[in-house]
Amino acid sequence: MPAVGIPPAAPVPRRPGGRAATLMSRRPGRRGLVGVVVTALAATLLAFVPATQAQAAPVLLSQGKPVTASSQEHYGTPATAAVDGDNGTRWSSAAADPQWIRVDLGAPASLSQVELRWEAAYAKSYRIETSQNGTDWSTAYSTTTGAGGVETVNVSGTARYVRMLGTARATGYGYSLWEFKVFGTTGDDPGPVIPGGGDLGPNVHVFDPSTPGIQAKLDQVFREQESAQFGSGRHAFLFKPGTYNNLNAQIGFYTQIAGLGLRPDDTTINGDITVDAGWFNGNATQNFWRGAENLAVKPVNGTNRWAVSQAASFRRMHVKGGLNLAPNGYGWASGGYIADSKIDGQIGNYSQQQWYTRDSSIGGWSNSVWNQVFSGVQGAPATGFPEPRYTTLDTTPISREKPFLYLDGNEYKVFAPAKRTNARGTTWENGTPQGESIPLSRFYVVKPGATAATINAALAQGLHLLFTPGVYHVDQTINVNRANTVVLGLGLATIIPDNGVTAMKVADVDGVKLAGFLIDAGPVNSPTLLEIGHQGATTDHAANPTTVQDVYIRIGGAGAGKATTSMVVNSHDTIIDHTWVWRADHGEGVGWETNRADYGVRVNGDDVLATGLFVEHFNKYDVEWYGERGRTIFYQNEKAYDAPNQAAIQNGSTKGYAAYRVDDSVDTHEAWGLGSYCNYNVDPNIRQDHGFKTPVKSGVKFHSLLVVSLGGMGHYNHVINDTGASTVPAGTSTVPSTLVSFP
């Protein structure tokens, strides 16, 4: 039977050469007098400043819309910067005539005005041109005496595309615009303006130190959520800055606990934040979908217990003591994630099979089971793989921490941390956190019952999205088209696509930040569930990448669901920072064809980095990588338990589909700390030729790999390609076959 889903199709356009070669080929940027003044002022201000208030549609039509240009001076001045609503970022062209910048409004609009906010390098002669199809252009305005500064010109007519065509420069540099704004209306009745801000809804529980009954509320929600693995309850506990005494916050399914300070130490709990596994007889391998963020905790007995598995993040935390990652009684636990955190004492790994810790500071680490990986962690153990099974990178090459809600006085804001390169340690211990502070008034606060049409209207209006805890059915794709948009979920907010639509698509623009939500496949097959960039995307986003953080995808488990490919990454430079993409092996709506999902994650973009990648149980390939210069730090996988027989997973002449496949066209790729496990419990006689598949090239490198048969339920013949020992000799003993490096 032919493969179902998105075919590899034509080769994806790639940027020539490596990142260093690309950057060295571009001449240094030149900001001009205005840019120098802006830079000097910025250096004297606080490390974060409120972003400029976005104007609402239908007046401003161009902000965040797809934009292209004839050229780009260097990587820091993309066309998208001219429509991002930020007067501190700009597009600049090559130093030649003519040059143009074009915005696609998405639909025909009645035009009224164009505003050009020039940098010092402006146009002496230019035209404003309009088009219905992007090919045939009409002149709406023309001048040969451009004055620079802020020029506002009146235009008329109906068009979808608007461009500034510069024909003569006023300086020896190129053309440079801080902002290119197009105003008009999209119809006779543009509809109501959607307000930003508002309350956070009934399932966000906000406490201050004087709030009565905090422990009772924590206990009530835990009773509801402790074993509600596939329930509909969603909750967020938010603690205002201050000190809270004698609390034990037990965290169940779909529950988030977080502080509302700018730093973790602004909010201290003298007590415990606990995840254990009493509901599952001491087995923590199903403790999914929960999180703790932005708090300091001083454990009662000196050690806090956080016994979790996939989709459970521990971010921006300060544990004033030790941290135990195993359940009471030291039963099994199956993987988790720590980032931007400080653990004063030792972390007891104990029975955790795999774990990833990034950009943190720890007092020590004990034990290794299969696969423990560290990057940018002060106090991490040295690499010892295969025994002890530690893989340690001194720094994380690129990182940007997850956005979070906080209180600035009495005003809610979302803080979006800045990008770091070669990061090590936390972002918050020394000095003012770096990043952008965005008032809640610039967010559409999404509450249960909101429609996809309203969500899209809010995005088109220039608002960010804050999903409050709940389950959201969408009958059309959520389209995130504006650069630097934040989409943040609280309490594991869950999006379910109806009628086979893609749940969310992100345009090929700079700096979108997706964080903190779950996409749950619907019963009608979706071709994809999450797309980052369009197919064939070519824009360089190295200066301001899109990030995907604590965004989880599920097919089946809560009910029948289907999706051909769960996540497709087309945009260059995207950072995938902690995701669990899971075709369910238990729960409702589970079966080889019932929750059919052939492919987990497909990466087409170049220079994509994955830090903390968990992908499991897909009918065919779990991860496929087509982009150049991709990197993965930590990968955890299980092959589909429910394959009915060998024929069901036969891949041409190859037995089984690799857990992680790099396409033969790729010349450069590198990955550290990868594990794949099989548990073919329907037919234990199934064989996988290998866990990993890659071209053998000097630029393709793998470090610290393992495959393991869980109790002898199926086996791997090799680790990667035809290299690495078979798991067959281990029999039912669940002993991994390891490989230090390949080739």
Side-chain angles (χ1 to χ4, degrees):
M1 180 176 179
V4 177
I6 300 174
V12 177
R14 294 184 176 136
R15 291 172 287 184
R19 170 67 65 220
T22 303
L23 296 184
M24 290 183 68
S25 68
R26 297 167 173 151
R27 64 186 178 85
R30 170 260 353 140
R31 298 188 64 87
L33 178 60
V34 176
V36 171
V37 172
V38 170
T39 302
L41 286 173
T44 66
L45 296 175
L46 293 175
F48 65 94
V49 296
T52 304
Q53 175 70 41
Q55 291 179 308
V59 176
L60 178 58
L61 303 176
S62 53
Q63 186 163 306
K65 292 300 197 302
V67 61
T68 54
S70 53
S71 65
Q72 179 176 320
E73 182 186 10
H74 62 86
Y75 71 89
T77 60
T80 53
V83 295
D84 63 1
D86 185 345
N87 290 329
T89 62
R90 66 188 177 99
W91 163 72
S92 60
S93 75
D97 294 313
Q99 300 290 334
W100 53 263
I101 182 170
R102 183 191 80 172
V103 62
D104 176 3
L105 302 177
S110 178
L111 307 178
S112 60
Q113 201 173 73
V114 171
E115 179 186 301
L116 302 169
R117 188 173 292 268
W118 294 102
E119 195 239 5
Y122 65 96
K124 179 180 179 182
S125 297
Y126 67 89
R127 298 195 297 268
I128 301 298
E129 298 184 331
T130 62
S131 173
Q132 295 287 9
N133 56 19
T135 302
D136 303 312
W137 295 92
S138 300
T139 299
Y141 173 84
S142 179
T143 184
T144 58
T145 57
V150 179
E151 293 187 273
T152 302
V153 301
N154 294 323
V155 296
S156 61
T158 300
R160 171 173 172 171
Y161 300 90
V162 182
R163 76 178 179 183
M164 186 289 299
L165 175 64
T167 55
R169 291 164 289 139
T171 72
Y173 299 107
Y175 298 87
S176 184
L177 283 167
W178 296 112
E179 285 292 299
F180 175 38
K181 295 182 178 181
V182 179
F183 297 86
T185 58
T186 55
D188 295 333
D189 180 12
V193 173
I194 297 171
D199 70 89
L200 301 176
N203 294 326
V204 176
H205 314 284
V206 181
F207 305 128
D208 65 43
S210 65
T211 302
I214 296 176
Q215 186 65 58
K217 188 63 178 180
L218 292 169
D219 291 345
Q220 173 204 329
V221 171
F222 180 66
R223 286 192 297 270
E224 296 170 2
Q225 300 300 118
E226 180 184 12
S227 59
Q229 184 173 176
F230 299 110
S232 59
R234 303 287 186 273
H235 295 271
F237 294 117
L238 304 182
F239 287 77
K240 294 181 180 180
T243 300
Y244 300 79
N245 295 315
N246 305 314
L247 292 181
N248 180 20
Q250 299 183 83
I251 306 301
F253 285 100
Y254 312 110
T255 303
Q256 175 191 25
I257 185 170
L260 286 170
L262 189 58
R263 301 170 182 82
D265 288 337
D266 293 343
T267 311
T268 298
I269 292 178
N270 290 317
D272 295 277
I273 299 173
T274 303
V275 177
D276 209 337
W279 74 278
F280 202 48
N281 300 315
N283 183 337
T285 58
Q286 293 184 22
N287 281 352
F288 314 137
W289 303 306
R290 64 200 74 199
E293 300 179 50
N294 202 32
L295 288 162
V297 56
K298 187 175 182 180
V300 171
N301 69 355
T303 301
N304 193 74
R305 186 184 302 279
W306 185 256
V308 299
S309 289
Q310 290 81 2
S313 65
F314 199 79
R315 288 183 182 268
R316 205 176 180 82
M317 295 288 289
H318 184 189
V319 179
K320 298 179 178 181
L323 186 64
N324 185 341
L325 303 180
N328 187 26
Y330 303 98
W332 285 113
S334 185
Y337 172 91
I338 293 172
D340 200 25
S341 294
K342 181 179 182 182
I343 316 301
D344 292 347
Q346 180 167 272
I347 296 179
N349 183 73
Y350 301 112
S351 55
Q352 276 288 353
Q353 295 163 334
Q354 65 276 318
W355 196 279
Y356 176 50
T357 307
R358 177 181 65 71
D359 298 351
S360 295
S361 173
I362 65 176
W365 188 279
S366 72
N367 198 39
S368 65
V369 180
W370 291 339
N371 194 27
Q372 278 69 41
V373 179
F374 310 84
S375 69
V377 178
Q378 298 166 341
T383 295
F385 195 89
E387 192 59 51
R389 294 191 172 97
Y390 299 140
T391 303
T392 302
L393 286 73
D394 189 58
T395 62
T396 303
I398 305 168
S399 62
R400 184 171 65 199
E401 299 304 329
K402 177 184 176 183
F404 60 92
L405 188 70
Y406 80 105
L407 275 172
D408 183 2
N410 292 319
E411 183 183 6
Y412 283 111
K413 295 182 178 180
V414 169
F415 190 77
K419 187 190 79 167
R420 297 199 292 171
T421 56
N422 298 319
R424 182 172 173 82
T426 72
T427 63
W428 49 266
E429 286 184 83
N430 300 306
T432 304
Q434 302 292 300
E436 179 189 22
S437 184
I438 309 170
L440 190 63
S441 61
R442 292 186 56 205
F443 282 78
Y444 173 46
V445 180
V446 192
K447 297 172 185 173
T451 65
T454 303
I455 293 169
N456 279 327
L459 288 167
Q461 185 177 303
L463 294 173
H464 305 273
L465 299 179
L466 180 73
F467 281 89
T468 64
V471 178
Y472 300 86
H473 284 264
V474 295
D475 58 0
Q476 58 181 262
T477 299
I478 297 172
N479 291 302
V480 183
N481 293 325
R482 179 170 55 90
N484 300 310
T485 300
V486 176
V487 180
L488 177 61
L490 299 178
L492 282 295
T494 302
I495 301 168
I496 302 176
D498 293 331
N499 304 318
V501 302
T502 296
M504 186 177 294
K505 293 184 179 180
V506 178
D508 187 38
V509 296
D510 278 353
V512 172
K513 302 164 188 72
L514 308 181
F517 56 89
L518 168 66
I519 297 175
D520 205 353
V524 178
N525 185 75
S526 294
T528 57
L529 293 173
L530 175 63
E531 294 184 21
I532 310 298
H534 60 265
Q535 188 169 0
T538 58
T539 304
D540 189 314
H541 301 291
N544 188 13
T546 285
T547 48
V548 182
Q549 300 177 287
D550 297 351
V551 173
Y552 312 124
I553 295 178
R554 179 172 69 194
I555 303 95
K562 293 185 178 182
T564 304
T565 306
S566 291
M567 182 190 300
V568 178
V569 180
N570 293 313
S571 289
H572 298 323
D573 308 291
T574 299
I575 300 171
I576 306 169
D577 178 44
H578 189 229
T579 186
W580 187 36
V581 182
W582 185 61
R583 175 181 169 267
D585 63 280
H586 62 273
E588 297 295 324
V590 171
W592 186 247
E593 297 295 342
T594 305
N595 63 328
R596 182 85 193 186
D598 283 351
Y599 308 103
V601 176
R602 177 172 290 144
V603 178
N604 294 320
D606 293 342
D607 301 287
V608 171
L609 171 65
T611 51
L613 186 60
F614 299 73
V615 187
E616 296 188 309
H617 304 157
F618 286 85
N619 295 74
K620 293 185 178 179
Y621 291 116
D622 299 278
V623 171
E624 294 182 285
W625 212 292
Y626 292 90
E628 282 291 348
R629 298 177 298 280
R631 290 176 289 186
T632 295
I633 304 173
F634 182 88
Y635 175 66
Q636 187 266 327
N637 165 264
E638 288 181 348
K639 295 303 299 175
Y641 289 0
D642 57 342
N645 49 51
Q646 187 74 50
I649 62 163
Q650 192 67 21
N651 181 14
S653 60
T654 302
K655 294 178 180 178
Y657 290 82
Y660 186 109
R661 182 180 79 87
V662 179
D663 190 69
D664 288 344
S665 64
V666 173
D667 294 320
T668 306
H669 188 91
E670 193 160 11
W672 297 261
L674 300 90
S676 178
Y677 324 140
C678 72
N679 182 35
Y680 288 117
N681 55 26
V682 176
D683 182 359
N685 295 312
I686 289 176
R687 296 290 181 268
Q688 280 274 139
D689 272 345
H690 42 239
F692 306 94
K693 177 70 171 63
T694 181
V696 181
K697 299 179 181 179
S698 60
V700 179
K701 301 174 183 178
F702 284 78
H703 314 273
S704 302
L705 304 101
L706 67 89
V707 294
V708 61
S709 168
L710 304 183
M713 305 298 280
H715 281 284
Y716 297 90
N717 292 332
H718 301 285
V719 178
I720 183 168
N721 294 0
D722 57 358
T723 300
S726 171
T727 60
V728 171
T732 62
S733 62
T734 314
V735 174
S737 174
T738 61
L739 195 64
V740 173
S741 62
F742 182 87

